[in-house]
Amino acid sequence: MRSRLDWSKARVGAEPRPCVLCGKPALMRSPDRDVPCHKTCAEQWLDQHKQ
Ligand SMILES: [Zn+2]
């Protein structure tokens, strides 16, 4: 089952920063760690790392 994150509270940065997972420019900031990250990348990461 695909992971779905609730990023309704995620902040959007003023300018793109490299995504911590894929390295491409991302405007979104991860809500729990406040790092630049795409929601789709975070969901993929969860899928690969959940037990
Ligand atoms: Zn990404």
Side-chain angles (χ1 to χ4, degrees):
M1 198 163 86
R2 295 267 309 152
S3 299
R4 285 309 205 128
L5 294 172
D6 178 10
W7 274 30
S8 55
K9 294 186 183 68
R11 292 196 308 116
V12 177
E15 55 191 55
R17 301 279 301 280
C19 170
V20 291
L21 293 176
C22 74
K24 293 176 190 165
L27 276 174
M28 299 294 286
R29 303 289 185 265
S30 166
D32 37 39
R33 298 208 297 159
D34 199 32
V35 293
C37 184
H38 298 111
K39 180 170 180 286
T40 49
C41 290
E43 288 173 344
Q44 263 177 31
W45 187 94
L46 271 181
D47 278 346
Q48 287 161 6
H49 291 84
K50 69 184 170 192
Q51 318 246 336

